[in-house]
């Protein structure tokens, strides 16, 4: 018996650089069981998306029975792949969780160099968002705090943030959205 | 919060960045940096041997370095080139090895390799899996040892107290995926973490454990997991619920015991806990329709806060609606109100899911659609491309069945034609093509032509399909649409795309006004087509239409004379004939001179049948063209099914070929011809196919032979059949083929008498050998040499099965025919067919095997049916009827069981029916 077919599923998360090379990827679906098939898939995804402008809003493309939502940030491309019949907006929510949690963890310094220097954080973020294809968490703040193991060493857990902390965080986010 | 999130690790991570910039430039300027990678790594490995290092740390570091070194050695040069330059943390110079965060970095490197040096990952995992199967064989392999070593070393890190390190260890264990005998080493550490006071330790330990345990171990830790379901920390509860959804696949029984806890979790305030709990509740009931229905009733009344959980619920509701029998018209669907209320949800996610569900309802009414279309229309003007795409894709699907419902969105969609996202633009156009009016067609076609070159083949197919639909809708626009398709046909494109265009043009040809233009385009295409299969298909179809054009529909012979003896009408026909002559050899159309002559028009008849079955089901093309031959066999059935039509066309073809050989006239009328079977692999020197015919107590086998080697001439070609492997056949005659044509087909024949008279139906495997005389062609003169030598070529065995003796027989009233047959001939048997895709697919497969005619429309299985009965009618040589009742049932797991009840004029025949199924 396989997974319940009604459950939303993610086929893979990809983080590629500006030349389409792999930085961090995670495949959850047996379709790409070999390294070659993964490389081919990444190549074709990149070929179909690299010329589009996904800097402002996340973009979407459908090909070969998959839906791919993607977003370009700095010199990086974030991709989330789902099945053809998946709700596009669920994939979009996962994509948002992916790139926003990485942004938070890297303090908005999202470029290839910083990502490579902090690859552990990116890999952990991927692990916190998707568990073997199932959506585990889509709230970027929550993902980021889990990645940094807040609360594990006597830190204040997110849910119990003080008002001033919450306010500071909100202020920063507003500032960020204005600067976009 | 973002400012504080990284306080513990931030200085270390952000710090060296500035320092590093020089080196980074160095790296980009001098790519030979790749060359020193290995040296740097080896040096790093030496640092791990440093006696000053903590021994625990050292063991970890050493094995990681070894794994890395192994990866280096295993990588081919191309792989190495694919690797990007090492990130700064890979360089030993920048960071002192004694830094406290050194260990996570080693782990990161390991994960980087798993992620990046892909062959390494694969090999290791494969070996791990194999190791589980055959421990001894793999014990010698170095890679396995290394993976295990890394794993053992990683488990030692449980002694460290750094939370970040611990988190990396969790990830590492999951990625390395230890073998079942190794799991035991970490379970105690993980169990300890599962009882930790730190939520994140508990949550992660649960996730890791659930991923690596087997059923036995799961039973041991089940108590803890069950408790964790109702843990007050959302991260713990969500982790265990999510893991349980995965565990359901193999440990349903254990998870079933948690039902109360899961119910409680479904009320959780935390969205992700609720989402996973709802998913699990459904998974626990997924095989029981009634239980799902109850669950849906219960959940639609409860308040679901999580948007994702609400999405799930919408899906479940849609499923329940699909499973329920449609009520009398006008009656509201159960749960429709719920779907409609979801359209007013505050989350776009839910709104869209509900709108999509409504649009996908079976037999949805315009009134039900209206609110969903309204919200989708709003989405069309969203600033988010994802939302526009999602809405448009759904509307596009609705437009296929309810174009009028979508017309309100036309203005919004026209605005999207210029969308920067090509997928959205294409969808907008194809949707508009479906909903637009006649006046806007020209404008749209112009717009499409503008960007056809920029979109992928997938979307081009979509556009072509839309144009085909449009052509049917607006016959007045034929000319413009045909011109567009013709243009598309000339452009570059893949097979599927060209096939779609050809199918569209073939459909347009049905309309008398566009016939000539369409055929002209196809002729042009035949000449430049790069896909042989497609050009053959087009040629055959074109021949058929040519015959139709000349107005003579009198069966194969008449088709032939139509093509051969009338020099006109017009340039079109001349062109087609010229092509056919080119493709098939010059004497092709001369009935008297060459025995293989009938093949061309006969093939057209075959293609016609195939087309009726495959390409254009239910179009008028067949009814007109195939009238004479089809009516003969179908026994006047009002609407001959595609099966019968294709069958009859193939029969007509075979019979025409048979009649061309005067020796066979004495055998009487043909009973049945079997579909061609290849006796050679593709792309071999000779292409041989066999067609078996049953007539007059004989099995006449026609071998279609083609030579593909231009340097030689093959003469006096026969196929020798070895009858020792099967009983009941007596070789009676053999008609050789004087010369095997080059790249065209010629026939030689073998006649086997069936021992035991006209009713006998022997079966078995007959060995086949192609025998011939070879004459080399002198490259100087181009003439064949005088002297040849005899040679033979082993062919694949010719299978003769009981199914070869059955042909479909149309029947008006199955029940009365069933009653007429003697009840004592009834034979019944059960068959388990294992998991199948669906009953429809299964029914088609079984009908295909039996080769009988489904009666009274029973070949169509109603959607969602769990059981179905198919009534089949066929006849055996001597026109002896046999009837079959085929009962199919599917269980919850998708396995299909089949009961076959047969009746015939005598018991032997009834048993023969079962023999066919048992052989298959």
């Amino acid at each position: 018996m396989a997974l319940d077919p009604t459950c939303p599923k993610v086929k893979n998360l990809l983080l590629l650089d500006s030349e389409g090379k792999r930085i961090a990827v995670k495949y959850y679906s047996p379709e790409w069981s070999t390294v070659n098939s993964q490389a081919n898939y990444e190549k074709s995804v990149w070929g179909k998306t690299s010329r589009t402008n996904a800097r402002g809003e996340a973009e979407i493309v459908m090909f070969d029975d998959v839906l791919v939502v993607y977003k370009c940030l700095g010199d990086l491309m974030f991709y989330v792949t789902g099945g053809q019949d998946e709700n596009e907006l669920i994939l979009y929510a996962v994509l948002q969780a992916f790139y926003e949690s990485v942004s938070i963890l890297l303090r908005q310094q999202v470029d290839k160099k910083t990502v490579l220097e902090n690859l552990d954080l990116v890999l952990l973020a991927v692990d916190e968002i998707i568990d073997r294809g199932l959506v585990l968490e889509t709230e970027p703040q929550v993902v980021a705090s889990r990645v940094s193991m807040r609360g594990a060493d006597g830190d204040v857990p997110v849910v119990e943030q003080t008002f001033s902390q919450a306010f500071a965080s909100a202020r920063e986010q507003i500032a960020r959205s204005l600067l976009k | 919060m973002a400012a504080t999130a990284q306080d513990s690790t931030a200085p270390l991570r952000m710090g060296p960045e500035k320092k590093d910039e020089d080196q980074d430039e160095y790296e980009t300027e001098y790519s030979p940096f790749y060359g020193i990678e290995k040296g740097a790594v080896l040096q790093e490995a030496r640092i791990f041997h440093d006696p000053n290092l903590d021994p625990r740390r050292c063991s970890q570091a050493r094995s990681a370095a070894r794994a890395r070194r192994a990866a280096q050695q295993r990588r081919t040069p191309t792989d190495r080139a694919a690797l990007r330059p090492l990130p700064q943390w890979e360089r030993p110079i920048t960071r002192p090895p004694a830094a406290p965060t050194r260990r996570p970095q080693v782990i990161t490197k390991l994960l980087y390799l798993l992620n990046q040096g892909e062959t390494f990952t694969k090999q290791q995992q494969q070996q791990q899996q194999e190791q589980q199967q055959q421990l001894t064989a793999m014990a010698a392999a170095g890679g396995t040892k290394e993976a295990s070593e890394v794993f053992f070393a990683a488990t030692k890190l449980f002694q460290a107290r750094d939370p970040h390190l611990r988190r990396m260890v969790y990830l590492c264990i999951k990625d390395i995926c230890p073998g079942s005998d190794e799991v035991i080493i970490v379970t105690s550490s993980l169990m300890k973490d599962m009882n930790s006071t730190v939520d994140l330790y508990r949550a992660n330990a649960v996730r890791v454990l659930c991923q690596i345990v087997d059923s036995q171990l799961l039973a041991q830790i089940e108590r803890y997991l069950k408790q964790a379901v109702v843990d007050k920390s959302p991260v713990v509860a969500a982790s265990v619920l999510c893991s349980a959804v995965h565990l359901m696949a193999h440990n349903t029984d254990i998870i079933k015991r948690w039902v109360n806890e899961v119910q409680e979790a479904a009320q959780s305030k935390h969205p992700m806990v609720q989402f996973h709990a709802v998913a699990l509740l459904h998974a626990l009931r997924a095989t029981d329709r009634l239980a799902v229905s109850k669950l849906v009733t219960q959940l639609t009344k409860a308040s679901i806060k999580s948007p994702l959980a609400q999405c799930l619920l919408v899906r479940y509701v849609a499923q329940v609606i699909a499973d329920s029998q449609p009520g009398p018209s006008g009656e509201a669907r159960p749960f429709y109100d719920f779907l409609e209320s979801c359209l007013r949800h505050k989350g776009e996610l839910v709104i869209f899911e509900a709108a999509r569900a409504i649009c996908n309802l079976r037999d949805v009414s315009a009134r039900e659609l209206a609110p969903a279309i309204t919200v989708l229309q709003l989405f069309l003007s969203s600033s988010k491309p994802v939302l526009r795409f999602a809405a448009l894709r759904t509307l596009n699907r609705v437009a296929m069945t309810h174009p009028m419902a979508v017309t309100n969105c036309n203005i919004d969609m026209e605005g999207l034609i210029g969308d920067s996202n090509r997928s959205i633009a294409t969808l907008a156009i194809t949707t508009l093509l479906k909903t637009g009016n006649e006046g806007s067609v020209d404008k749209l076609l112009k717009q499409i032509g503008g960007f056809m070159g920029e979109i992928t083949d997938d979307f081009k197919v979509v556009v072509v399909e839309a144009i085909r639909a449009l052509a049917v809708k607006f016959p007045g626009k034929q000319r413009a649409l045909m011109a567009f398709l013709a243009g598309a046909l000339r452009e570059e494109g893949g097979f599927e795309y060209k096939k779609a265009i050809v199918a569209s043009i073939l459909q347009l040809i049905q309309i008398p006004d566009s016939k000539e233009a369409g055929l002209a385009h196809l002729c042009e295409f035949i000449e430049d087509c790069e896909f042989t299969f497609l050009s053959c298909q087009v040629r055959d179809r074109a021949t058929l239409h040519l015959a139709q054009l000349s107005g003579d529909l009198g069966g194969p012979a008449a088709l032939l004379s139509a093509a051969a003896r009338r020099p006109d009408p017009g340039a079109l026909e001349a062109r087609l004939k010229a092509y056919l002559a080119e493709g098939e050899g010059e004497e092709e159309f001369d009935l008297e001179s060459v025995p293989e002559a009938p093949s061309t028009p006969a093939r057209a008849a075959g293609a016609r049948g195939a087309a009726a079955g495959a390409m254009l089901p239910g179009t008028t093309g067949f009814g007109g063209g195939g009238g004479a031959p089809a009516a003969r066999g179908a026994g006047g059935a009002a609407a001959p099914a595609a099966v019968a039509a294709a069958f009859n066309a193939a029969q007509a073809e075979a019979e025409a070929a048979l009649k061309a050989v005067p020796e066979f006239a004495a055998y009487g009328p043909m009973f049945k011809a079997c579909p061609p079977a290849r006796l050679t692999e593709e792309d071999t020197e000779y292409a041989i196919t066999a067609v078996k015919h049953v007539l007059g107590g004989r099995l006449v086998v026609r071998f279609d032979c083609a030579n593909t080697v231009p340097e030689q001439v093959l003469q006096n070609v026969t196929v020798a059949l070895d009858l020792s492997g099967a009983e009941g056949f007596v070789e009676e005659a053999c008609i050789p083929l004087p010369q095997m044509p080059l790249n065209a087909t010629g026939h030689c024949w073998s006649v086997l008498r069936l021992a035991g008279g006209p009713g006998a139906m022997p079966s078995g495997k007959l060995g086949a050998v192609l025998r011939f005389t070879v004459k080399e062609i002198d490259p100087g003169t181009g003439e064949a040499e005088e002297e040849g030598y005899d040679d033979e070529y082993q062919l694949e065995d010719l299978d003769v099965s009981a199914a070869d003796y059955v042909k479909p027989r149309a029947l008006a009233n199955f029940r009365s025919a069933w009653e007429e047959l003697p009840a004592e001939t009834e034979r019944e048997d059960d068959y388990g067919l294992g998991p199948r895709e669906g009953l429809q697919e299964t029914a088609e497969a079984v009908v295909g095997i039996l080769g009988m005619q489904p009666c009274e429309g029973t070949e169509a299985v109603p959607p969602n049916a769990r059981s179905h009965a198919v009534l089949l009618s066929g006849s055996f040589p001597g026109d002896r009827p046999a009837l079959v009742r085929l009962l199919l049932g599917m269980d919850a797991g998708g396995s299909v069981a089949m009961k076959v009840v047969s009746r015939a004029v005598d018991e032997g025949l009834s048993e023969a029916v079962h023999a066919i199924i048992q052989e298959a």
Side-chain angles (χ1 to χ4, degrees):
Chain A
M1 199 178 112
L3 274 181
D4 194 341
T6 51
C7 213
K9 270 178 281 295
V10 171
K11 287 176 182 278
N12 61 49
L13 294 187
L14 312 177
L15 176 55
L16 306 182
D17 73 3
S18 54
E19 286 157 14
K21 285 192 191 136
R22 163 188 293 202
I23 291 182
V25 299
K26 189 78 186 167
Y27 286 84
Y28 305 102
S29 156
E31 283 138 283
W32 303 281
S33 53
T34 66
V35 190
N36 266 341
S37 59
Q38 294 184 358
N40 287 340
Y41 177 74
E42 282 157 40
K43 202 173 155 199
S44 82
V45 167
W46 196 79
K48 287 182 204 311
T49 57
S50 57
R51 270 167 291 134
T52 51
N53 179 12
R55 285 194 183 275
E57 290 285 354
E59 284 286 348
I60 183 162
V61 66
M62 187 173 91
F63 65 96
D64 299 344
D65 302 337
V66 293
L67 274 173
V68 181
V69 289
Y70 58 102
K71 163 97 177 169
C72 182
L73 220 61
D75 52 357
L76 298 170
M77 293 286 259
F78 293 78
Y79 298 92
V80 174
T81 307
Q84 205 178 17
D85 297 323
E86 198 45 82
N87 181 333
E88 289 89 341
L89 301 185
I90 293 182
L91 299 177
Y92 177 59
V94 173
L95 178 69
Q96 258 180 320
F98 188 16
Y99 70 76
E100 284 190 12
S101 60
V102 169
S103 306
I104 294 170
L105 287 164
L106 303 183
R107 298 180 162 190
Q108 316 310 326
Q109 182 107 32
V110 185
D111 53 56
K112 183 179 169 186
K113 188 161 165 283
T114 321
V115 162
L116 282 175
E117 282 166 7
N118 299 282
L119 193 73
D120 47 351
L121 299 181
V122 177
L123 293 173
L124 289 179
V126 170
D127 188 54
E128 289 288 358
I129 295 168
I130 302 291
D131 183 279
R132 287 175 279 167
L134 296 183
V135 183
L136 189 63
E137 182 56 70
T138 53
E139 198 53 61
Q141 298 282 352
V142 177
V143 171
S145 79
R146 284 182 190 168
V147 166
S148 47
M149 295 297 279
R150 284 176 60 83
D153 47 5
D155 253 350
V156 193
V158 216
V159 282
E160 292 160 30
Q161 271 185 64
T162 62
F163 176 74
S164 62
Q165 276 173 317
F167 185 70
S169 152
R171 197 171 49 191
E172 181 169 320
Q173 280 191 330
I174 291 168
R176 218 185 332 136
S177 63
L178 287 176
L179 284 173
K180 256 182 199 167
Chain B
M1 199 214 90
T4 53
Q6 275 305 303
D7 279 352
S8 58
T9 45
L12 267 163
R13 301 198 174 284
M14 307 302 285
E17 189 192 310
K18 288 265 177 328
K19 245 192 287 173
D20 222 38
E21 242 149 39
D22 296 345
Q23 203 172 353
D24 217 47
E25 271 174 30
Y26 174 84
E27 171 193 319
T28 44
E29 275 180 34
Y30 300 95
S31 52
F33 180 68
Y34 290 1
I36 64 164
E37 189 202 11
K38 197 170 178 179
V41 174
L42 289 175
Q43 196 182 351
E44 188 183 40
R46 253 178 260 134
I47 293 166
F48 294 143
H49 289 289
D50 194 328
N52 296 336
L53 278 173
D54 179 339
R56 264 189 292 130
R57 197 177 297 159
C58 199
S59 74
Q60 154 63 15
R62 196 189 301 137
S63 56
R66 198 176 304 161
R68 156 129 205 157
R69 220 179 315 147
Q72 294 272 330
Q73 282 153 6
R74 249 173 267 157
R75 248 175 247 135
T76 59
T78 44
D79 284 331
R80 203 174 294 135
L83 275 179
R84 64 187 49 74
L86 283 177
Q88 64 90 10
W89 42 257
E90 294 273 27
R91 293 173 214 134
I93 333 146
T94 46
R95 287 207 200 153
T101 48
R102 187 70 191 148
R103 274 167 292 171
Q105 281 157 8
V106 174
I107 284 200
T108 310
K109 275 186 235 180
L110 191 69
L111 293 175
Y112 173 82
L113 284 175
L114 286 169
N115 215 314
Q116 204 60 234
E118 303 157 74
T119 40
F120 178 52
T121 312
K122 183 80 180 88
Q123 258 176 355
Q124 216 178 35
Q125 277 176 353
Q126 222 170 29
Q127 281 165 350
Q128 284 290 339
Q129 279 160 11
E130 280 170 34
Q131 192 198 29
Q132 286 167 22
Q133 294 157 2
Q134 40 186 31
L135 253 172
T136 44
M138 296 311 298
T144 309
K145 223 170 150 191
E146 235 143 38
S148 302
E149 253 175 57
V150 169
F151 172 72
F152 288 135
T155 60
K156 299 226 173 72
L157 293 174
F158 271 107
Q159 291 166 30
R161 292 190 50 79
D162 179 53
H164 181 70
L165 174 59
R166 182 67 58 90
R167 183 67 185 82
M168 290 303 284
V169 172
Y170 293 136
L171 183 59
C172 189
I173 295 175
K174 279 196 279 189
D175 272 8
I176 291 179
C177 188
S180 53
D181 54 326
E182 296 166 343
V183 167
I184 196 80
I185 297 160
V186 279
T187 41
S188 63
S189 304
L190 288 169
M191 290 287 287
K192 215 170 110 196
D193 281 356
M194 247 171 76
N195 293 304
S196 157
T197 53
V198 180
D199 295 344
L200 285 170
Y201 283 178
R202 287 211 301 286
N204 278 300
V206 163
R207 281 178 64 197
V208 178
L209 264 176
C210 289
Q211 187 164 339
I212 62 177
V213 290
D214 54 13
S215 306
Q216 209 183 351
L217 206 55
L218 181 69
Q220 288 174 36
I221 60 170
E222 188 228 335
R223 194 164 51 89
Y224 296 97
L225 294 175
K226 192 171 161 184
Q227 247 171 13
V229 173
V230 287
D231 197 293
K232 68 178 192 314
S233 156
V235 59
V236 177
S239 294
V240 69
L241 286 165
C242 180
S243 301
V245 175
H246 288 293
L247 286 173
M248 275 295 291
H250 302 293
N251 300 286
T252 321
D253 293 338
I254 292 181
I255 312 293
K256 269 187 177 153
R257 292 182 220 145
W258 306 357
V259 115
N260 291 331
E261 283 78 7
V262 180
Q263 285 278 11
E264 196 182 326
Q267 312 294 324
S268 167
K269 275 187 300 214
H270 192 276
M272 292 316 283
V273 176
Q274 190 172 50
F275 164 59
H276 289 297
V278 168
L280 191 53
L281 280 179
H282 181 264
L284 283 167
R285 292 163 171 77
T287 52
D288 183 349
R289 283 195 211 186
L290 196 66
V292 169
S293 174
K294 274 187 192 162
L295 175 72
V296 166
T297 314
Q298 179 203 335
L299 288 174
T300 47
K301 284 175 191 152
S303 71
I304 300 282
K305 293 211 181 62
S306 154
L308 279 174
Q310 189 81 352
C311 267
L312 285 180
L313 187 50
V314 168
R315 290 182 188 187
Y316 304 156
V317 164
Q319 201 182 27
V320 169
I321 295 179
D323 286 346
S324 61
Q325 293 300 319
S329 58
E331 188 187 308
R333 283 174 207 272
F335 299 119
Y336 174 78
D337 291 343
F338 171 78
L339 290 183
E340 207 204 332
S341 73
C342 287
L343 294 175
R344 297 186 291 275
H345 196 275
K346 60 183 188 307
E348 284 169 343
L349 203 86
V350 178
I351 299 176
F352 174 65
E353 187 73 48
R356 195 168 76 140
I358 291 177
C359 292
N360 289 339
L361 288 179
R362 195 159 15 107
D363 308 324
V364 65
S365 70
R367 198 168 54 84
E368 287 168 320
L369 267 178
I373 302 287
T374 310
V375 298
L376 290 175
Q377 187 176 5
L378 285 176
F379 284 175
L380 288 182
S381 47
S382 162
S383 64
K384 293 177 192 156
V386 176
L387 207 51
R388 294 200 297 271
F389 177 88
L392 204 47
R393 190 156 76 109
T394 312
L395 288 173
N396 184 46
R397 228 174 297 148
V398 176
M400 287 181 200
T401 48
H402 295 79
M404 290 315 288
V406 187
T407 43
N408 282 343
C409 309
N410 276 4
I411 293 176
D412 303 77
M413 289 191 289
E414 275 168 26
L416 294 178
I417 290 178
D419 200 291
S420 62
N421 185 321
R422 283 291 166 210
S423 308
I424 295 179
T426 315
L427 278 173
I429 295 217
T430 52
T431 317
L432 281 169
L433 284 174
K434 287 169 195 150
T435 64
N437 52 26
E438 196 158 354
S440 62
V441 168
D442 289 323
K443 195 178 104 193
L444 280 169
L445 282 179
K446 210 172 154 196
Q447 277 167 320
I448 304 170
F451 74 81
M452 272 305 259
E454 298 170 39
I455 55 175
T456 60
D457 267 16
D458 300 1
F459 275 114
K460 284 184 188 165
V461 173
V462 175
V463 171
V464 170
E465 296 288 329
I467 288 184
R468 185 213 296 223
L470 207 60
V472 175
K473 205 162 125 197
F474 303 124
K477 288 290 166 193
Q478 293 280 329
R479 189 175 293 274
L481 294 168
M482 183 65 93
F484 180 87
L485 289 175
L489 204 51
R490 281 184 215 112
E491 301 293 322
E492 290 289 304
F495 176 70
E496 289 298 325
Y497 173 46
K498 296 280 167 158
K499 201 170 111 187
I501 302 175
V502 168
S504 301
I505 294 185
L506 285 172
Q507 191 170 6
L508 286 182
I509 289 177
Q510 309 299 329
I511 299 154
D513 289 348
S514 20
K515 181 161 279 170
E516 290 216 14
L519 281 175
H521 293 315
L522 289 180
C523 292
E524 187 189 329
F525 177 60
I526 290 169
E527 281 160 18
D528 342 312
C529 179
E530 56 199 295
F531 306 107
T532 325
F533 170 73
L534 201 54
S535 69
C536 288
Q537 205 173 14
V538 172
R539 185 192 60 215
D540 293 344
R541 299 273 303 163
T543 318
L544 162 68
H545 283 286
L546 170 66
Q548 280 183 316
L549 204 64
S550 56
D552 194 334
L553 307 172
L559 270 175
L560 181 71
S561 56
R565 290 181 191 153
R566 292 184 194 181
D568 45 319
L572 174 62
E573 182 171 354
R575 213 169 153 185
L576 266 172
K577 273 206 312 192
Y579 172 72
L580 286 168
E582 213 174 86
E584 300 280 322
E586 286 189 4
E587 325 89 316
E588 201 61 46
F589 294 100
D590 192 347
L591 179 63
E592 278 74 31
S593 64
V594 198
E596 64 259 33
S599 72
T600 306
R603 185 178 308 156
R608 181 202 312 150
M615 281 177 80
L616 301 166
T619 56
T620 52
F622 181 71
R632 183 185 52 80
V643 180
F647 178 80
N648 283 317
Q651 299 293 303
E653 171 192 355
E655 189 161 20
L658 205 61
K659 281 196 175 151
V661 183
E663 285 90 334
F664 300 147
Y667 299 158
M670 185 184 80
F671 173 74
K672 185 200 175 184
C674 302
R678 286 194 78 105
L679 299 184
T680 48
E681 305 272 321
E682 277 189 46
D683 301 325
T684 47
E685 297 151 67
Y686 320 111
I688 315 290
T689 34
V691 179
K692 292 165 281 182
H693 310 71
V694 180
L695 69 159
R698 289 171 183 82
L699 191 69
V700 177
V701 191
R702 187 185 86 211
F703 297 98
D704 297 348
C705 312
N707 176 22
T708 59
V709 186
E711 291 81 19
Q712 59 185 24
V713 174
L714 306 180
Q715 291 179 336
N716 197 20
V717 182
T718 55
V719 175
L721 292 174
D722 174 12
L723 304 179
S724 61
E727 281 181 26
F729 296 103
V730 181
E731 184 156 8
E732 191 172 83
C734 179
I735 300 175
L737 173 66
Q739 179 162 334
M740 198 192 289
L742 185 62
N743 292 325
T745 310
H747 307 317
C748 69
W749 301 80
S750 277
V751 181
L752 304 174
R753 190 160 51 78
L754 307 177
M761 297 183 292
S763 59
K765 271 187 190 302
L766 310 179
V769 178
L770 185 69
R771 296 220 166 103
F772 46 81
T773 307
V774 188
K775 290 183 179 170
E776 303 281 334
I777 289 186
D778 188 330
T781 61
E783 300 280 320
E785 285 169 1
E786 293 269 309
E787 287 295 307
Y789 56 92
D790 289 346
D791 199 356
E792 56 180 51
Y793 185 84
Q794 185 68 42
L795 301 175
E796 291 184 20
D797 290 351
L798 180 69
D799 272 325
V800 183
S801 67
D804 293 342
Y805 301 97
V806 194
K807 72 174 182 183
R809 191 178 66 121
L811 206 57
N813 186 336
F814 185 89
R815 172 173 276 274
S816 66
W818 180 265
E819 300 296 337
E820 278 167 21
L821 288 173
E824 63 271 14
T825 63
E826 189 166 309
R827 290 287 179 277
E828 186 183 310
D829 218 339
D830 294 328
Y831 304 87
L833 302 179
R836 294 280 165 157
E837 258 173 47
L839 287 183
Q840 181 69 53
E841 172 257 328
T842 316
E844 281 165 13
V846 177
V847 171
I849 290 167
L850 280 172
M852 296 167 99
Q853 173 75 39
C855 304
E856 301 174 11
T858 50
E859 70 272 27
V861 180
N864 286 312
R866 285 284 161 90
S867 63
H868 184 69
V870 186
L871 307 175
L872 295 169
S873 157
S875 64
F876 285 91
D879 281 324
R880 294 172 301 161
L883 299 178
V884 172
R885 285 173 187 268
L886 193 68
L887 306 167
L888 297 165
M890 180 178 258
D891 70 7
S895 291
V896 174
M898 173 172 82
K899 173 180 271 195
V900 178
V901 189
S902 60
R903 279 193 191 183
V905 282
D906 62 61
E907 294 172 11
L909 275 191
S910 192
E911 271 157 21
V913 171
H914 288 277
I916 294 174
I917 293 181
Q918 278 149 15
E919 277 172 25

